[in-house]
C-alpha cells in the first residue's frame, strides 16, 4: 500500500507497539490508540524467545532489552516431586548463533518502555477506548468512548483478548475460561535462597505446573507463575490479590527447591487463564486483527506475546508489499495462520520443552525474512 495510507492501530500492547514502530520505520503514517490513561507497571515477567527478539533487533531495541532483562543461561524442566531434570536447553553464544538472537526474560513494564522508544512523537493516543468502527466505503471512521472520532484507510485491531475490533468482524463472544488460574508473584530475590533456583525453570506436576525465572541480569528480581485447576472460579472479577499462604497450599507438596522460593513470595496476584478456540478469520475488507485479538492462547508455551510480535513483522511486510488491503491481509493470514495454529495446539497440550524437543522450527524462524505466502492461498472470501 502506498505510504500515504492512514493506518489506525487499536491497542498499545506488545503487538500494537511493535506494529506501529515497524510501520513507521517503513515510512507509513500510523496512529496508535490505547484505552488506558497511561501504562501501569503490571507485576509480571515475559519470556522472549529468539524468534520475536529478531523483530526487536530490527527495531534497534535488542541492546536496550538485554540491559534491562536477562539472558538466562538455560531453560530447565524438572519433575515436580523428585526434582529430576527432564530437559535442559542451554543458551549461550552458540545457541544465539544458531537461533539468530538471544533468549530473554524481562519485566513486562520494561519491555513496554523499550517498545515505545522508536515511536514518533504524537503517535500514541492514550485514553482512547475504541467503541465502534463505521465502514464508509473507501475509509473507516473510529469512534472512541471519550467522544473523539478518527478517520483511517485501514484499521488494525491489536486490542487483546477482549478485542472490540474483533467484534466488528466476528461478533461478540466471551473468551473461553480454561478452568485454571495463574497465581503470580514478582519480588526481590534477596528474600529467598538464590542457590535454590536456576535462571529459568519449569516444574511439571500431574495437574499443575509452575515457572520461576529471574527478570534482570543482576538476578535481583524473581518472577513466579503457576497454573492450577480452579473449576468454579469467578472470571468476571478479573485479576485479584492472592496470598503467599494460598500459593503455598497449592504448590507446597512440590520439591523443596521450589517450595523455598514460594515461601518468600510477595505481591501475589491471581489471573484467570482464558483463551479462544482457533479462528481462521483474521481480516475483513479494510480491517485486520493481530495478537490476542485473533489468537488468544494459553500461556503454557510462553508464546502469546511472541506470536503478536511475529504477526506485527509479517503484517508490516504484507502492507508494504501489496497495493490493496485484500491482498495484503490475505498474504498475512496465509503466512501466519498455520504457524500460530500449531503454537495454539501445543499451548493447549502443554508439552513444550517438557522433555527433549525440536525447538528449531520455532526459535530459528525469522519473521523479518520468512517467505510470505501468496494471498491467493488464503481462505476463500
Ligand atoms: C499468565 C500469562 C503469562 C504469559 N507469559 C507469556 C510469556 O512468557 N511470553 C509470551 O510471549 N507471552 C506470554 N503471555 C501471553 C501474552 O501476554 C499475550 O499473548 C500478549 O500480551 C498479547 O499481546 P497483544 O498485543 O495481542 O495484546 P495485549 O498485550 O493484551 O494488548 C492489548 C492492548 O489493547 C488495549 N485495548 C483493549 N481494548 C481496547 C479498546 N477498546 N480501545 C483501545 N485500546 C484497547 C489494552 O489496554 C492493551 O494495552 C502470557 C499470558 C498470560 C495470561
Amino acid at each position: 500500500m502506498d505510504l500515504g495510507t492512514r493506518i489506525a492501530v487499536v491497542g498499545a500492547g506488545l503487538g500494537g507497539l511493535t506494529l506501529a514502530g515497524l510501520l513507521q520505520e517503513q515510512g507509513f503514517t500510523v496512529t496508535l490508540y490505547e484505552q488506558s490513561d497511561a501504562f501501569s507497571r503490571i507485576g509480571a515477567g515475559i519470556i522472549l524467545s529468539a524468534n520475536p527478539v529478531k523483530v526487536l533487533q530490527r527495531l534497534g531495541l535488542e541492546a536496550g532489552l538485554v540491559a534491562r532483562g536477562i539472558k538466562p543461561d538455560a531453560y530447565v524442566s524438572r519433575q515436580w516431586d523428585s526434582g529430576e531434570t527432564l530437559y535442559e536447553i542451554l543458551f549461550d553464544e552458540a545457541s544465539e548463533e544458531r537461533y539468530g538472537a538471544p533468549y530473554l526474560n524481562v519485566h513486562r513494564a520494561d519491555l513496554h518502555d523499550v517498545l515505545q522508544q522508536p515511536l514518533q512523537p504524537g503517535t500514541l493516543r492514550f485514553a482512547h477506548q475504541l467503541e465502534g468502527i463505521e465502514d464508509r466505503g473507501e475509509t473507516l471512521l473510529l469512534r472512541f468512548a471519550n467522544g473523539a472520532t478518527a478517520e483511517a484507510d485501514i484499521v488494525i485491531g491489536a486490542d487483546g483478548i477482549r478485542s472490540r475490533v474483533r467484534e466488528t468482524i466476528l461478533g461478540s463472544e466471551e473468551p473461553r475460561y480454561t478452568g485454571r488460574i495463574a497465581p503470580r508473584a514478582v519480588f526481590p530475590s534477596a528474600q529467598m535462597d538464590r542457590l535454590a533456583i536456576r535462571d529459568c525453570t519449569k516444574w511439571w506436576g500431574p495437574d499443575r505446573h509452575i515457572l520461576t525465572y529471574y527478570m534482570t541480569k543482576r538476578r535481583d528480581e524473581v518472577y513466579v507463575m503457576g497454573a492450577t485447576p480452579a473449576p468454579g472460579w469467578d472470571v468476571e472479577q478479573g485479576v485479584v490479590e492472592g496470598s503467599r499462604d494460598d500459593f503455598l497450599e497449592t504448590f507446597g507438596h512440590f520439591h523443596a527447591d521450589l517450595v523455598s522460593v514460594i515461601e518468600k513470595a510477595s505481591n501475589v496476584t491471581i489471573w484467570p487463564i482464558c483463551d479462544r478456540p482457533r479462528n481462521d478469520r483474521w481480516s475483513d475488507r479494510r480491517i485486520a486483527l493481530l495478537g490476542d485479538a485473533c489468537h488468544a492462547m494459553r500461556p503454557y508455551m510462553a508464546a502469546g506475546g511472541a506470536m503478536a510480535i511475529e504477526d506485527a513483522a509479517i503484517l508490516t511486510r504484507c502492507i508494504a508489499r501489496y497495493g490493496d488491503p485484500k491482498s495484503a491481509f490475505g498474504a498475512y493470514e496465509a503466512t501466519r495462520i498455520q504457524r500460530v495454529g500449531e503454537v495454539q495446539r501445543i499451548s493447549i497440550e502443554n508439552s513444550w520443552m517438557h522433555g527433549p524437543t525440536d525447538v528449531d522450527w520455532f526459535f530459528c524462524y525469522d519473521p523479518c525474512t520468512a517467505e510470505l505466502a501468496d494471498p491467493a492461498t488464503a481462505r476463500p472470501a
Side-chain angles (χ1 to χ4, degrees):
M1 283 179 253
D2 70 62
L3 294 179
T5 307
R6 293 165 303 168
I7 305 175
V9 180
V10 181
L14 305 182
L17 284 168
T18 308
L19 179 72
L22 289 168
L23 285 168
Q24 285 187 339
E25 190 210 9
Q26 293 290 310
F28 285 99
T29 307
V30 186
T31 311
L32 178 54
Y33 298 100
E34 167 57 41
Q35 65 180 1
S36 320
D37 296 336
F39 292 130
S40 55
R41 201 171 166 83
I42 296 168
I46 187 153
I47 291 176
L48 292 173
S49 45
N51 36 324
V53 173
K54 275 170 264 192
V55 179
L56 306 176
Q57 277 176 345
R58 170 72 196 238
L59 283 167
L61 302 177
E62 184 188 343
L65 278 171
V66 170
R68 295 202 188 194
I70 177 172
K71 292 184 187 182
D73 64 354
Y75 170 101
V76 187
S77 275
R78 292 181 73 181
Q79 177 73 7
W80 69 280
D81 50 356
S82 64
E84 176 198 350
T85 296
L86 305 168
Y87 181 58
E88 178 169 340
I89 178 167
L90 295 179
F91 298 120
D92 53 16
E93 276 181 26
S95 74
E96 280 187 36
E97 180 74 24
R98 181 180 181 87
Y99 306 137
Y103 189 96
L104 292 173
N105 297 348
V106 64
H107 197 295
R108 266 173 193 263
D110 289 333
L111 176 58
H112 251 102
D113 272 358
V114 169
L115 285 174
Q116 285 171 71
Q117 285 168 8
L119 298 184
Q120 291 161 12
T123 306
L124 183 49
R125 309 276 166 86
F126 283 111
H128 277 69
Q129 180 178 46
L130 183 83
E131 283 196 333
I133 304 173
E134 196 182 306
D135 190 338
R136 297 188 155 188
E138 291 303 297
T139 61
L140 297 160
L141 187 76
L142 295 88
R143 293 188 190 284
F144 299 95
N146 63 6
T149 56
E151 205 177 63
D153 298 313
I154 60 172
V155 171
I156 311 300
D159 47 346
I161 188 166
R162 293 180 179 275
S163 168
R164 188 79 199 195
V165 182
R166 181 185 196 277
E167 281 179 19
T168 68
I169 298 180
L170 295 162
S172 172
E173 190 189 0
E174 279 299 299
R176 170 171 73 180
Y177 175 54
T178 61
R180 296 164 77 79
I181 50 168
R184 318 210 271 193
V186 171
F187 55 98
S189 53
Q191 290 177 196
M192 61 168 205
D193 175 8
R194 285 175 50 169
L195 297 177
I197 64 165
R198 296 279 303 274
D199 282 351
C200 187
T201 306
K202 183 165 175 178
W203 296 84
W204 299 77
D207 69 343
R208 63 199 66 192
H209 67 259
I210 183 162
L211 192 66
T212 61
Y213 59 82
Y214 294 111
M215 294 191 296
T216 60
K217 67 165 72 58
R218 294 178 302 282
R219 297 182 174 78
D220 54 4
E221 204 171 22
V222 70
Y223 176 57
V224 184
M225 187 200 99
T228 184
W233 194 260
D234 174 11
V235 181
E236 289 305 311
Q237 55 184 338
V239 180
V240 295
E241 214 174 293
S243 74
R244 181 191 302 163
D245 287 350
D246 287 348
F247 210 161
L248 263 178
E249 201 177 307
T250 309
F251 289 99
H253 56 305
F254 272 49
H255 189 272
D257 284 357
L258 188 262
V259 173
S260 73
V261 177
I262 303 179
E263 274 171 348
K264 302 295 188 252
S266 51
N267 304 315
V268 180
T269 50
I270 301 182
W271 301 57
I273 300 177
C274 298
D275 70 352
R276 287 189 186 274
R278 176 173 163 170
N279 139 62
D280 290 354
R281 184 153 180 232
W282 293 13
S283 71
D284 185 35
R285 286 175 36 80
R286 297 178 162 272
I287 303 175
L289 304 172
L290 163 159
D292 279 9
C294 49
H295 51 66
M297 60 184 73
R298 298 170 198 205
Y300 308 151
M301 190 175 162
M307 290 301 97
I309 291 170
E310 284 191 4
D311 287 348
I314 297 290
L315 182 55
T316 300
R317 292 174 59 209
C318 292
I319 289 172
R321 175 173 298 186
Y322 290 96
D324 62 283
K326 186 170 190 285
S327 307
F329 296 161
Y332 165 62
E333 289 179 325
T335 308
R336 291 301 294 154
I337 285 175
Q338 199 182 344
R339 176 171 168 87
V340 174
E342 180 61 4
V343 172
Q344 283 177 295
R345 187 192 67 73
I346 295 170
S347 298
I348 289 173
E349 198 176 74
N350 189 18
S351 54
W352 185 244
M353 299 203 289
H354 181 202
T357 303
D358 167 20
V359 295
D360 282 7
W361 68 273
F362 190 63
F363 293 164
C364 294
Y365 183 82
D366 184 349
C368 301
T369 57
E371 196 181 336
L372 299 181
D374 186 335
T377 62
R379 65 178 161 78

